[in-house]
């Protein structure tokens, strides 16, 4: 049939009717029309036959298996792309460093309010998600393994603190400022509850990454925080797992992440 | 300061049962349409099935986008069409030669002799136009979208879509003319 007869619904509209995605009123009109229209009825029957033939030819189990394989193939391609560069993404344009910041999709599904209370009363939290498993809050007392595709997001409850800064240190002692990338600590978001720093972060290399969130009363220059991290790395025997607290004022929370 | 309350949203990798239910929904609603598109363009049963799997794998990965679409069918068929056109190009099969081989193949499809002729004619001429025109032509002549529906699917204006379809029609004669 011609798909573009003015008195008929378009063939595409009938396809959408068959797929069950037309709004109720439009679906009723189209279905009523098709019941009395040989041409449109034939289009609907054609769609039904194509689906029936498909289901007879490819059982669901075979379909599912094929989609799973395709998903795995896509994942491998993604990993191959990810391993070729350590930083990517629209938010953080750092060349040849550590992380991938993903701005497109918020990571968080729930806010349980759990956090890691540090000595001054401020609370910081590192939440992991985006992979195959369920979301979880990273522990501070043990290294946290990351699976491929998992991302993290950082949050804090400032209590009385006024400024926040986050950075990471990798196995080689390379320090990457996360929030902010330059300048000095960001003023905290006022108000109760957990505040989340923007974007989620994906670690794409391998080895260990230590993430540090610093909540302070006064702004801290990013350069000073980086220098303090370098100094701590040396004090820890150039072993990122032994990194002592940075020599800056404020509450610090450290997490050890084991990259996949 | 960039902090704010987080947008609460389910991330990928939910319970297996939900994933399976979603996959079954895709299978029963759209399997026939997507496989049909892949077969039409790729002309190879095995490659078409693989391509279909790729399309649905992407839908699983971007389930949120699928759910947010006013027309998930349009979203899926766009992906399927792009995927197959890209595959043909990446295989460097040579469009012209590939479509010449097609002429010897048995026509497929439904909707009577004229519809089959249009499908075959479109396929034979696709290699002569750019990707966007290919996509517009497929949605218009194969999917039976109106000009407005094609324009909405491609994010182009109706006059732009019409111009591309008219250019395509110049290659193929009366039956491809846009009213």
């Amino acid at each position: 049939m011609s798909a573009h007869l003015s008195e008929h619904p378009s063939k595409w509209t009938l396809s959408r009717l068959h797929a069950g995605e037309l709004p109720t009123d439009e679906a009723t009109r189209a279905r009523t029309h098709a019941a009395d229209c040989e041409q449109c009825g034939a289009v609907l029957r054609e769609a039904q036959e194509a689906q029936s033939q498909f289901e007879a030819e490819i059982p669901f189990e075979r379909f599912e298996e094929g989609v799973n394989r395709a998903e795995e193939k896509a994942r491998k391609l993604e990993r191959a792309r990810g391993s070729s560069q350590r930083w990517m993404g629209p938010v953080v344009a750092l060349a040849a460093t550590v992380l991938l910041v993903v701005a497109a999709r918020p990571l968080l599904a729930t806010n349980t309010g759990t956090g890691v209370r540090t000595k001054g009363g401020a609370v910081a939290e590192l939440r992991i998600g985006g992979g195959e498993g369920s979301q979880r809050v990273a522990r501070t007392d043990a290294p946290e393994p990351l699976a491929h595709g998992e991302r993290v997001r950082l949050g804090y409850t400032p209590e009385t603190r006024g400024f926040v800064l986050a950075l990471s240190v990798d196995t080689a002692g390379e320090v990457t400022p996360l929030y902010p990338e330059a300048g000095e600590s960001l003023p905290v978001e006022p108000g109760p509850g957990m505040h989340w720093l923007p974007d989620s972060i994906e670690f794409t290399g391998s080895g260990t990454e230590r993430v540090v969130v610093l909540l302070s009363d006064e702004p801290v220059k990013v350069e000073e925080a980086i220098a303090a991290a370098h100094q701590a790395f040396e004090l820890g025997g150039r072993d990122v797992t032994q990194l002592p607290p940075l020599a800056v004022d404020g509450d610090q929370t450290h997490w050890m992440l084991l990259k996949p | 300061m960039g902090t704010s309350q987080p947008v609460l949203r389910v991330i990928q990798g939910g319970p297996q049962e939900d994933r399976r239910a979603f996959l079954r929904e895709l299978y029963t609603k759209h399997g026939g349409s997507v496989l049909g598109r892949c077969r039409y363009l790729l002309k190879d049963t095995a490659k078409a099935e693989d391509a279909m799997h790729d399309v649905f794998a992407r839908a699983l990965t971007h389930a949120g986008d699928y759910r947010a679409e006013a027309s998930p069918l349009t979203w899926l068929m766009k992906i399927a069409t792009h995927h197959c056109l890209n595959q043909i190009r990446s295989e460097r099969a040579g469009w012209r030669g590939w479509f010449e081989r097609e002429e010897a193949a048995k026509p497929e499809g439904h909707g009577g002799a004229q519809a089959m002729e249009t499908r075959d004619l479109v396929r034979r001429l696709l290699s002569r136009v750019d990707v966007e025109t290919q996509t517009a032509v497929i949605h218009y002549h194969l999917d039976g979208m109106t000009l407005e529906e094609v324009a909405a699917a491609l994010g182009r204006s109706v006059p732009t879509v019409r111009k591309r379809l008219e250019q395509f029609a110049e290659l193929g004669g009366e039956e491809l003319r846009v009213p």
Side-chain angles (χ1 to χ4, degrees), chain A residues 68-87:
Chain A
N68 288 342
R69 271 199 314 273
E71 260 198 316
E72 184 56 32
K73 182 178 71 178
R75 264 191 226 113
K76 284 179 180 170
L77 279 174
E78 193 60 35
R79 282 175 211 155
R81 276 197 289 268
S83 62
S84 66
Q85 54 188 129
R86 303 185 71 196
W87 272 96

Side-chain angles (χ1 to χ4, degrees), chain A residues 208-253:
Chain A
T208 303
E209 193 84 29
R210 181 181 285 259
V211 177
V212 179
V213 167
L214 170 68
L215 287 149
S216 56
D217 293 334
E218 300 293 333
V220 175
K221 285 188 168 52
V222 170
E223 295 79 21
E224 289 175 6
I226 292 173
H230 281 141
Q231 185 184 28
F233 185 71
E234 295 298 329
L235 288 171
R238 302 185 64 77
D239 180 353
V240 73
T241 67
Q242 303 300 317
L243 198 81
L246 313 191
V248 287
D249 290 335
D251 299 331
Q252 290 178 38
T253 307

Side-chain angles (χ1 to χ4, degrees), chain A residues 37-52:
Chain A
C37 173
E38 180 53 35
Q39 286 181 313
C40 293
V43 171
L44 277 181
R45 285 194 297 278
E46 182 186 319
Q48 286 156 2
E49 284 165 15
Q51 180 63 30
S52 299

